[in-house]
Amino acid sequence: DYTFGGFTNNGQPFDASGTYLGEEDLVIMQVWNAVPTYTLTVNGLYGNDVLPVLSYKTGATFTLPVAPTRDGYVFAGYTVNGQPLTLTNGQATFTWSTNTVVTATWTARIYITLVDKLSGATLGTVEVTAGAYTPLQTPTKSGYHFVGFYSNEACTEAFANNGTYAGNTSITVYASWRKQAKITVYNGATLVETILVPANGAYTLTAGTNNAD
């Protein structure tokens, strides 16, 4: 491709319009300049979204993957020289008169994983999006009372399961338990009742009767 660069006479620029009163014949040459070609490199893409190094001329329009994917990450947009690149329907017009590098940027996905303190089993995982997550469901365990959520394995630091998380890394939350106590009442050798103590610890024993003379 070429762009028109004007006129010359004997190698000197010559006006496209004007007045000429000379007697000598003139030879006027049109000037055409080759349109420079530059390279476009897109870094940071993965899998099927990877693009080869492309060539472009200033003002060319390219279509970039609108929503590329990467395991464990959320696409955060493209940048050129550290500045955001705006796409219109996935297209961007490249006006730079230089070789250009576009970078796909990513934000690591953040997960909260709930682990059973006693068994070590994973009870569930939720993803944090923009600092918010679906609160962890209170787990249940036969023979135990749930004590609470904790952010350390020793269960000494409580975790506020309120649906907001300001951290920027994935974390493990531990479900802590207290064994459910049982109260067994006898009248002599006769079993009167068995009570499983509830989580709040409150209990009431039933007064018995003794028919012995």
Side-chain angles (χ1 to χ4, degrees), residues 155-189:
C155 293
T156 57
E157 300 174 6
F159 175 76
N161 184 36
N162 56 12
T164 61
Y165 177 65
N168 56 9
T169 58
S170 296
I171 62 169
T172 298
V173 172
Y174 297 88
S176 180
W177 307 93
R178 183 180 77 249
K179 189 176 184 303
Q180 185 177 32
K182 179 172 64 176
I183 299 176
T184 304
V185 180
Y186 286 89
N187 181 358

PDB file of all heavy atoms in Angstrom, residues 155-189:
ATOM      1  N   CYS A 155      -7.779 -23.478  65.282  1.00  0.00           N
ATOM      2  CA  CYS A 155      -9.112 -22.967  65.629  1.00  0.00           C
ATOM      3  C   CYS A 155      -9.059 -21.998  66.803  1.00  0.00           C
ATOM      4  O   CYS A 155      -9.844 -22.099  67.766  1.00  0.00           O
ATOM      5  CB  CYS A 155     -10.086 -24.106  65.899  1.00  0.00           C
ATOM      6  SG  CYS A 155     -10.452 -25.082  64.411  1.00  0.00           S
ATOM      7  N   THR A 156      -8.126 -21.071  66.710  1.00  0.00           N
ATOM      8  CA  THR A 156      -8.027 -20.029  67.734  1.00  0.00           C
ATOM      9  C   THR A 156      -8.383 -18.653  67.171  1.00  0.00           C
ATOM     10  O   THR A 156      -8.555 -17.706  67.930  1.00  0.00           O
ATOM     11  CB  THR A 156      -6.603 -19.973  68.308  1.00  0.00           C
ATOM     12  OG1 THR A 156      -5.670 -19.740  67.247  1.00  0.00           O
ATOM     13  CG2 THR A 156      -6.255 -21.274  69.016  1.00  0.00           C
ATOM     14  N   GLU A 157      -8.479 -18.559  65.837  1.00  0.00           N
ATOM     15  CA  GLU A 157      -8.792 -17.280  65.196  1.00  0.00           C
ATOM     16  C   GLU A 157     -10.113 -17.424  64.444  1.00  0.00           C
ATOM     17  O   GLU A 157     -10.183 -18.101  63.419  1.00  0.00           O
ATOM     18  CB  GLU A 157      -7.674 -16.858  64.242  1.00  0.00           C
ATOM     19  CG  GLU A 157      -6.327 -16.686  64.926  1.00  0.00           C
ATOM     20  CD  GLU A 157      -5.203 -16.420  63.944  1.00  0.00           C
ATOM     21  OE1 GLU A 157      -5.509 -16.256  62.733  1.00  0.00           O
ATOM     22  OE2 GLU A 157      -4.047 -16.378  64.353  1.00  0.00           O
ATOM     23  N   ALA A 158     -11.147 -16.776  64.965  1.00  0.00           N
ATOM     24  CA  ALA A 158     -12.484 -16.904  64.376  1.00  0.00           C
ATOM     25  C   ALA A 158     -12.532 -16.287  62.989  1.00  0.00           C
ATOM     26  O   ALA A 158     -11.880 -15.271  62.712  1.00  0.00           O
ATOM     27  CB  ALA A 158     -13.513 -16.248  65.288  1.00  0.00           C
ATOM     28  N   PHE A 159     -13.298 -16.917  62.116  1.00  0.00           N
ATOM     29  CA  PHE A 159     -13.514 -16.396  60.763  1.00  0.00           C
ATOM     30  C   PHE A 159     -14.932 -15.858  60.671  1.00  0.00           C
ATOM     31  O   PHE A 159     -15.903 -16.562  60.961  1.00  0.00           O
ATOM     32  CB  PHE A 159     -13.313 -17.503  59.729  1.00  0.00           C
ATOM     33  CG  PHE A 159     -13.623 -17.078  58.322  1.00  0.00           C
ATOM     34  CD1 PHE A 159     -12.749 -16.285  57.603  1.00  0.00           C
ATOM     35  CD2 PHE A 159     -14.820 -17.461  57.724  1.00  0.00           C
ATOM     36  CE1 PHE A 159     -13.045 -15.878  56.303  1.00  0.00           C
ATOM     37  CE2 PHE A 159     -15.130 -17.071  56.428  1.00  0.00           C
ATOM     38  CZ  PHE A 159     -14.232 -16.278  55.715  1.00  0.00           C
ATOM     39  N   ALA A 160     -15.055 -14.579  60.294  1.00  0.00           N
ATOM     40  CA  ALA A 160     -16.379 -13.952  60.181  1.00  0.00           C
ATOM     41  C   ALA A 160     -17.012 -14.368  58.857  1.00  0.00           C
ATOM     42  O   ALA A 160     -16.676 -13.852  57.805  1.00  0.00           O
ATOM     43  CB  ALA A 160     -16.253 -12.432  60.261  1.00  0.00           C
ATOM     44  N   ASN A 161     -17.923 -15.292  58.933  1.00  0.00           N
ATOM     45  CA  ASN A 161     -18.577 -15.835  57.737  1.00  0.00           C
ATOM     46  C   ASN A 161     -19.732 -14.917  57.322  1.00  0.00           C
ATOM     47  O   ASN A 161     -20.904 -15.286  57.396  1.00  0.00           O
ATOM     48  CB  ASN A 161     -19.080 -17.254  58.040  1.00  0.00           C
ATOM     49  CG  ASN A 161     -19.679 -17.919  56.824  1.00  0.00           C
ATOM     50  OD1 ASN A 161     -19.218 -17.735  55.704  1.00  0.00           O
ATOM     51  ND2 ASN A 161     -20.721 -18.698  57.049  1.00  0.00           N
ATOM     52  N   ASN A 162     -19.378 -13.691  56.890  1.00  0.00           N
ATOM     53  CA  ASN A 162     -20.412 -12.681  56.637  1.00  0.00           C
ATOM     54  C   ASN A 162     -20.588 -12.347  55.164  1.00  0.00           C
ATOM     55  O   ASN A 162     -21.288 -11.387  54.819  1.00  0.00           O
ATOM     56  CB  ASN A 162     -20.082 -11.398  57.417  1.00  0.00           C
ATOM     57  CG  ASN A 162     -18.702 -10.869  57.071  1.00  0.00           C
ATOM     58  OD1 ASN A 162     -18.075 -11.320  56.109  1.00  0.00           O
ATOM     59  ND2 ASN A 162     -18.212  -9.920  57.858  1.00  0.00           N
ATOM     60  N   GLY A 163     -19.933 -13.092  54.269  1.00  0.00           N
ATOM     61  CA  GLY A 163     -20.130 -12.866  52.837  1.00  0.00           C
ATOM     62  C   GLY A 163     -19.214 -11.851  52.215  1.00  0.00           C
ATOM     63  O   GLY A 163     -19.309 -11.570  51.018  1.00  0.00           O
ATOM     64  N   THR A 164     -18.306 -11.263  53.000  1.00  0.00           N
ATOM     65  CA  THR A 164     -17.335 -10.325  52.445  1.00  0.00           C
ATOM     66  C   THR A 164     -15.927 -10.791  52.814  1.00  0.00           C
ATOM     67  O   THR A 164     -15.695 -11.296  53.910  1.00  0.00           O
ATOM     68  CB  THR A 164     -17.542  -8.898  52.968  1.00  0.00           C
ATOM     69  OG1 THR A 164     -17.386  -8.875  54.398  1.00  0.00           O
ATOM     70  CG2 THR A 164     -18.930  -8.397  52.604  1.00  0.00           C
ATOM     71  N   TYR A 165     -15.002 -10.604  51.862  1.00  0.00           N
ATOM     72  CA  TYR A 165     -13.609 -11.005  52.095  1.00  0.00           C
ATOM     73  C   TYR A 165     -12.705 -10.045  51.342  1.00  0.00           C
ATOM     74  O   TYR A 165     -12.790  -9.914  50.114  1.00  0.00           O
ATOM     75  CB  TYR A 165     -13.390 -12.433  51.611  1.00  0.00           C
ATOM     76  CG  TYR A 165     -11.958 -12.908  51.735  1.00  0.00           C
ATOM     77  CD1 TYR A 165     -11.365 -13.047  52.983  1.00  0.00           C
ATOM     78  CD2 TYR A 165     -11.203 -13.208  50.601  1.00  0.00           C
ATOM     79  CE1 TYR A 165     -10.047 -13.467  53.101  1.00  0.00           C
ATOM     80  CE2 TYR A 165      -9.891 -13.636  50.714  1.00  0.00           C
ATOM     81  CZ  TYR A 165      -9.320 -13.767  51.963  1.00  0.00           C
ATOM     82  OH  TYR A 165      -8.002 -14.184  52.075  1.00  0.00           O
ATOM     83  N   ALA A 166     -11.857  -9.349  52.078  1.00  0.00           N
ATOM     84  CA  ALA A 166     -11.008  -8.313  51.491  1.00  0.00           C
ATOM     85  C   ALA A 166      -9.636  -8.832  51.082  1.00  0.00           C
ATOM     86  O   ALA A 166      -8.851  -8.092  50.488  1.00  0.00           O
ATOM     87  CB  ALA A 166     -10.842  -7.154  52.481  1.00  0.00           C
ATOM     88  N   GLY A 167      -9.334 -10.089  51.370  1.00  0.00           N
ATOM     89  CA  GLY A 167      -8.025 -10.622  51.021  1.00  0.00           C
ATOM     90  C   GLY A 167      -7.870 -10.813  49.516  1.00  0.00           C
ATOM     91  O   GLY A 167      -8.841 -10.800  48.764  1.00  0.00           O
ATOM     92  N   ASN A 168      -6.637 -11.019  49.081  1.00  0.00           N
ATOM     93  CA  ASN A 168      -6.373 -11.225  47.654  1.00  0.00           C
ATOM     94  C   ASN A 168      -5.758 -12.590  47.374  1.00  0.00           C
ATOM     95  O   ASN A 168      -5.174 -12.805  46.315  1.00  0.00           O
ATOM     96  CB  ASN A 168      -5.473 -10.113  47.109  1.00  0.00           C
ATOM     97  CG  ASN A 168      -4.160  -9.993  47.872  1.00  0.00           C
ATOM     98  OD1 ASN A 168      -3.842 -10.840  48.702  1.00  0.00           O
ATOM     99  ND2 ASN A 168      -3.400  -8.954  47.589  1.00  0.00           N
ATOM    100  N   THR A 169      -5.858 -13.500  48.333  1.00  0.00           N
ATOM    101  CA  THR A 169      -5.375 -14.864  48.131  1.00  0.00           C
ATOM    102  C   THR A 169      -6.418 -15.848  48.653  1.00  0.00           C
ATOM    103  O   THR A 169      -7.219 -15.520  49.521  1.00  0.00           O
ATOM    104  CB  THR A 169      -4.045 -15.116  48.868  1.00  0.00           C
ATOM    105  OG1 THR A 169      -4.223 -14.853  50.270  1.00  0.00           O
ATOM    106  CG2 THR A 169      -2.934 -14.219  48.321  1.00  0.00           C
ATOM    107  N   SER A 170      -6.391 -17.043  48.106  1.00  0.00           N
ATOM    108  CA  SER A 170      -7.317 -18.079  48.573  1.00  0.00           C
ATOM    109  C   SER A 170      -6.947 -18.512  49.992  1.00  0.00           C
ATOM    110  O   SER A 170      -5.780 -18.482  50.377  1.00  0.00           O
ATOM    111  CB  SER A 170      -7.264 -19.286  47.626  1.00  0.00           C
ATOM    112  OG  SER A 170      -7.728 -18.933  46.341  1.00  0.00           O
ATOM    113  N   ILE A 171      -7.963 -18.905  50.757  1.00  0.00           N
ATOM    114  CA  ILE A 171      -7.719 -19.305  52.141  1.00  0.00           C
ATOM    115  C   ILE A 171      -8.492 -20.585  52.452  1.00  0.00           C
ATOM    116  O   ILE A 171      -9.422 -20.953  51.741  1.00  0.00           O
ATOM    117  CB  ILE A 171      -8.131 -18.209  53.144  1.00  0.00           C
ATOM    118  CG1 ILE A 171      -9.641 -17.941  53.042  1.00  0.00           C
ATOM    119  CG2 ILE A 171      -7.323 -16.942  52.950  1.00  0.00           C
ATOM    120  CD1 ILE A 171     -10.170 -17.066  54.170  1.00  0.00           C
ATOM    121  N   THR A 172      -8.068 -21.215  53.542  1.00  0.00           N
ATOM    122  CA  THR A 172      -8.772 -22.388  54.076  1.00  0.00           C
ATOM    123  C   THR A 172      -9.418 -21.996  55.395  1.00  0.00           C
ATOM    124  O   THR A 172      -8.785 -21.372  56.251  1.00  0.00           O
ATOM    125  CB  THR A 172      -7.805 -23.556  54.300  1.00  0.00           C
ATOM    126  OG1 THR A 172      -7.231 -23.933  53.040  1.00  0.00           O
ATOM    127  CG2 THR A 172      -8.518 -24.753  54.895  1.00  0.00           C
ATOM    128  N   VAL A 173     -10.691 -22.346  55.533  1.00  0.00           N
ATOM    129  CA  VAL A 173     -11.436 -22.088  56.771  1.00  0.00           C
ATOM    130  C   VAL A 173     -11.761 -23.439  57.394  1.00  0.00           C
ATOM    131  O   VAL A 173     -12.103 -24.400  56.687  1.00  0.00           O
ATOM    132  CB  VAL A 173     -12.724 -21.299  56.481  1.00  0.00           C
ATOM    133  CG1 VAL A 173     -13.602 -21.204  57.719  1.00  0.00           C
ATOM    134  CG2 VAL A 173     -12.372 -19.900  55.984  1.00  0.00           C
ATOM    135  N   TYR A 174     -11.649 -23.524  58.721  1.00  0.00           N
ATOM    136  CA  TYR A 174     -11.841 -24.789  59.418  1.00  0.00           C
ATOM    137  C   TYR A 174     -13.133 -24.774  60.223  1.00  0.00           C
ATOM    138  O   TYR A 174     -13.449 -23.781  60.894  1.00  0.00           O
ATOM    139  CB  TYR A 174     -10.655 -25.067  60.347  1.00  0.00           C
ATOM    140  CG  TYR A 174      -9.357 -25.232  59.601  1.00  0.00           C
ATOM    141  CD1 TYR A 174      -8.566 -24.130  59.302  1.00  0.00           C
ATOM    142  CD2 TYR A 174      -8.939 -26.485  59.165  1.00  0.00           C
ATOM    143  CE1 TYR A 174      -7.383 -24.269  58.595  1.00  0.00           C
ATOM    144  CE2 TYR A 174      -7.752 -26.638  58.456  1.00  0.00           C
ATOM    145  CZ  TYR A 174      -6.984 -25.528  58.169  1.00  0.00           C
ATOM    146  OH  TYR A 174      -5.826 -25.668  57.464  1.00  0.00           O
ATOM    147  N   ALA A 175     -13.866 -25.887  60.128  1.00  0.00           N
ATOM    148  CA  ALA A 175     -15.076 -26.067  60.938  1.00  0.00           C
ATOM    149  C   ALA A 175     -14.678 -26.773  62.226  1.00  0.00           C
ATOM    150  O   ALA A 175     -14.112 -27.868  62.201  1.00  0.00           O
ATOM    151  CB  ALA A 175     -16.104 -26.896  60.170  1.00  0.00           C
ATOM    152  N   SER A 176     -14.968 -26.127  63.358  1.00  0.00           N
ATOM    153  CA  SER A 176     -14.590 -26.689  64.659  1.00  0.00           C
ATOM    154  C   SER A 176     -15.813 -27.332  65.322  1.00  0.00           C
ATOM    155  O   SER A 176     -16.941 -26.876  65.147  1.00  0.00           O
ATOM    156  CB  SER A 176     -14.030 -25.587  65.554  1.00  0.00           C
ATOM    157  OG  SER A 176     -13.666 -26.108  66.818  1.00  0.00           O
ATOM    158  N   TRP A 177     -15.545 -28.385  66.093  1.00  0.00           N
ATOM    159  CA  TRP A 177     -16.629 -29.162  66.688  1.00  0.00           C
ATOM    160  C   TRP A 177     -16.387 -29.392  68.182  1.00  0.00           C
ATOM    161  O   TRP A 177     -15.256 -29.357  68.647  1.00  0.00           O
ATOM    162  CB  TRP A 177     -16.735 -30.532  66.019  1.00  0.00           C
ATOM    163  CG  TRP A 177     -16.842 -30.480  64.542  1.00  0.00           C
ATOM    164  CD1 TRP A 177     -15.819 -30.548  63.637  1.00  0.00           C
ATOM    165  CD2 TRP A 177     -18.039 -30.316  63.783  1.00  0.00           C
ATOM    166  NE1 TRP A 177     -16.298 -30.448  62.357  1.00  0.00           N
ATOM    167  CE2 TRP A 177     -17.666 -30.317  62.412  1.00  0.00           C
ATOM    168  CE3 TRP A 177     -19.380 -30.202  64.114  1.00  0.00           C
ATOM    169  CZ2 TRP A 177     -18.587 -30.182  61.392  1.00  0.00           C
ATOM    170  CZ3 TRP A 177     -20.312 -30.062  63.092  1.00  0.00           C
ATOM    171  CH2 TRP A 177     -19.909 -30.053  61.738  1.00  0.00           C
ATOM    172  N   ARG A 178     -17.489 -29.633  68.889  1.00  0.00           N
ATOM    173  CA  ARG A 178     -17.444 -30.064  70.285  1.00  0.00           C
ATOM    174  C   ARG A 178     -18.284 -31.331  70.392  1.00  0.00           C
ATOM    175  O   ARG A 178     -19.412 -31.381  69.908  1.00  0.00           O
ATOM    176  CB  ARG A 178     -18.013 -28.984  71.203  1.00  0.00           C
ATOM    177  CG  ARG A 178     -17.913 -29.356  72.695  1.00  0.00           C
ATOM    178  CD  ARG A 178     -18.471 -28.279  73.609  1.00  0.00           C
ATOM    179  NE  ARG A 178     -19.924 -28.279  73.637  1.00  0.00           N
ATOM    180  CZ  ARG A 178     -20.689 -27.320  73.114  1.00  0.00           C
ATOM    181  NH1 ARG A 178     -20.134 -26.281  72.530  1.00  0.00           N
ATOM    182  NH2 ARG A 178     -22.016 -27.403  73.186  1.00  0.00           N
ATOM    183  N   LYS A 179     -17.712 -32.349  70.994  1.00  0.00           N
ATOM    184  CA  LYS A 179     -18.433 -33.620  71.115  1.00  0.00           C
ATOM    185  C   LYS A 179     -19.721 -33.424  71.918  1.00  0.00           C
ATOM    186  O   LYS A 179     -19.732 -32.735  72.937  1.00  0.00           O
ATOM    187  CB  LYS A 179     -17.554 -34.679  71.792  1.00  0.00           C
ATOM    188  CG  LYS A 179     -18.142 -36.087  71.754  1.00  0.00           C
ATOM    189  CD  LYS A 179     -17.166 -37.079  72.350  1.00  0.00           C
ATOM    190  CE  LYS A 179     -17.707 -38.496  72.228  1.00  0.00           C
ATOM    191  NZ  LYS A 179     -19.026 -38.660  72.866  1.00  0.00           N
ATOM    192  N   GLN A 180     -20.778 -34.015  71.426  1.00  0.00           N
ATOM    193  CA  GLN A 180     -22.068 -33.913  72.112  1.00  0.00           C
ATOM    194  C   GLN A 180     -22.090 -34.849  73.327  1.00  0.00           C
ATOM    195  O   GLN A 180     -21.882 -36.048  73.196  1.00  0.00           O
ATOM    196  CB  GLN A 180     -23.217 -34.276  71.158  1.00  0.00           C
ATOM    197  CG  GLN A 180     -24.600 -34.068  71.772  1.00  0.00           C
ATOM    198  CD  GLN A 180     -25.707 -34.362  70.787  1.00  0.00           C
ATOM    199  OE1 GLN A 180     -25.558 -35.218  69.914  1.00  0.00           O
ATOM    200  NE2 GLN A 180     -26.819 -33.649  70.896  1.00  0.00           N
ATOM    201  N   ALA A 181     -22.325 -34.247  74.488  1.00  0.00           N
ATOM    202  CA  ALA A 181     -22.345 -35.043  75.724  1.00  0.00           C
ATOM    203  C   ALA A 181     -23.690 -35.752  75.892  1.00  0.00           C
ATOM    204  O   ALA A 181     -24.716 -35.320  75.358  1.00  0.00           O
ATOM    205  CB  ALA A 181     -22.076 -34.157  76.930  1.00  0.00           C
ATOM    206  N   LYS A 182     -23.649 -36.842  76.653  1.00  0.00           N
ATOM    207  CA  LYS A 182     -24.858 -37.622  76.925  1.00  0.00           C
ATOM    208  C   LYS A 182     -24.999 -37.783  78.435  1.00  0.00           C
ATOM    209  O   LYS A 182     -24.028 -38.086  79.128  1.00  0.00           O
ATOM    210  CB  LYS A 182     -24.761 -38.980  76.242  1.00  0.00           C
ATOM    211  CG  LYS A 182     -25.953 -39.890  76.473  1.00  0.00           C
ATOM    212  CD  LYS A 182     -25.868 -41.145  75.612  1.00  0.00           C
ATOM    213  CE  LYS A 182     -24.670 -41.999  75.988  1.00  0.00           C
ATOM    214  NZ  LYS A 182     -24.638 -43.271  75.224  1.00  0.00           N
ATOM    215  N   ILE A 183     -26.189 -37.538  78.936  1.00  0.00           N
ATOM    216  CA  ILE A 183     -26.477 -37.727  80.361  1.00  0.00           C
ATOM    217  C   ILE A 183     -27.422 -38.928  80.498  1.00  0.00           C
ATOM    218  O   ILE A 183     -28.504 -38.950  79.909  1.00  0.00           O
ATOM    219  CB  ILE A 183     -27.130 -36.475  80.978  1.00  0.00           C
ATOM    220  CG1 ILE A 183     -26.190 -35.264  80.868  1.00  0.00           C
ATOM    221  CG2 ILE A 183     -27.511 -36.721  82.434  1.00  0.00           C
ATOM    222  CD1 ILE A 183     -26.815 -33.965  81.370  1.00  0.00           C
ATOM    223  N   THR A 184     -26.965 -39.906  81.259  1.00  0.00           N
ATOM    224  CA  THR A 184     -27.771 -41.112  81.477  1.00  0.00           C
ATOM    225  C   THR A 184     -28.205 -41.168  82.940  1.00  0.00           C
ATOM    226  O   THR A 184     -27.368 -41.032  83.836  1.00  0.00           O
ATOM    227  CB  THR A 184     -26.973 -42.373  81.124  1.00  0.00           C
ATOM    228  OG1 THR A 184     -26.517 -42.277  79.772  1.00  0.00           O
ATOM    229  CG2 THR A 184     -27.829 -43.618  81.261  1.00  0.00           C
ATOM    230  N   VAL A 185     -29.496 -41.328  83.185  1.00  0.00           N
ATOM    231  CA  VAL A 185     -30.054 -41.326  84.547  1.00  0.00           C
ATOM    232  C   VAL A 185     -30.547 -42.735  84.888  1.00  0.00           C
ATOM    233  O   VAL A 185     -31.275 -43.359  84.100  1.00  0.00           O
ATOM    234  CB  VAL A 185     -31.207 -40.320  84.664  1.00  0.00           C
ATOM    235  CG1 VAL A 185     -31.773 -40.321  86.081  1.00  0.00           C
ATOM    236  CG2 VAL A 185     -30.739 -38.925  84.261  1.00  0.00           C
ATOM    237  N   TYR A 186     -30.120 -43.200  86.068  1.00  0.00           N
ATOM    238  CA  TYR A 186     -30.560 -44.511  86.549  1.00  0.00           C
ATOM    239  C   TYR A 186     -31.295 -44.341  87.876  1.00  0.00           C
ATOM    240  O   TYR A 186     -30.976 -43.446  88.676  1.00  0.00           O
ATOM    241  CB  TYR A 186     -29.362 -45.429  86.773  1.00  0.00           C
ATOM    242  CG  TYR A 186     -28.735 -45.960  85.498  1.00  0.00           C
ATOM    243  CD1 TYR A 186     -27.723 -45.254  84.861  1.00  0.00           C
ATOM    244  CD2 TYR A 186     -29.149 -47.189  84.968  1.00  0.00           C
ATOM    245  CE1 TYR A 186     -27.140 -45.734  83.704  1.00  0.00           C
ATOM    246  CE2 TYR A 186     -28.567 -47.675  83.810  1.00  0.00           C
ATOM    247  CZ  TYR A 186     -27.569 -46.957  83.181  1.00  0.00           C
ATOM    248  OH  TYR A 186     -26.987 -47.437  82.039  1.00  0.00           O
ATOM    249  N   ASN A 187     -32.201 -45.222  88.086  1.00  0.00           N
ATOM    250  CA  ASN A 187     -32.812 -45.388  89.407  1.00  0.00           C
ATOM    251  C   ASN A 187     -32.398 -46.787  89.854  1.00  0.00           C
ATOM    252  O   ASN A 187     -32.993 -47.785  89.453  1.00  0.00           O
ATOM    253  CB  ASN A 187     -34.327 -45.266  89.325  1.00  0.00           C
ATOM    254  CG  ASN A 187     -34.986 -45.417  90.691  1.00  0.00           C
ATOM    255  OD1 ASN A 187     -34.312 -45.648  91.714  1.00  0.00           O
ATOM    256  ND2 ASN A 187     -36.311 -45.326  90.724  1.00  0.00           N
ATOM    257  N   GLY A 188     -31.325 -46.804  90.629  1.00  0.00           N
ATOM    258  CA  GLY A 188     -30.746 -48.099  90.964  1.00  0.00           C
ATOM    259  C   GLY A 188     -30.136 -48.691  89.708  1.00  0.00           C
ATOM    260  O   GLY A 188     -29.299 -48.083  89.061  1.00  0.00           O
ATOM    261  N   ALA A 189     -30.650 -49.867  89.384  1.00  0.00           N
ATOM    262  CA  ALA A 189     -30.142 -50.512  88.182  1.00  0.00           C
ATOM    263  C   ALA A 189     -31.046 -50.257  86.986  1.00  0.00           C
ATOM    264  O   ALA A 189     -30.787 -50.768  85.887  1.00  0.00           O
ATOM    265  CB  ALA A 189     -30.017 -52.005  88.410  1.00  0.00           C
TER     266      ALA A 189
END
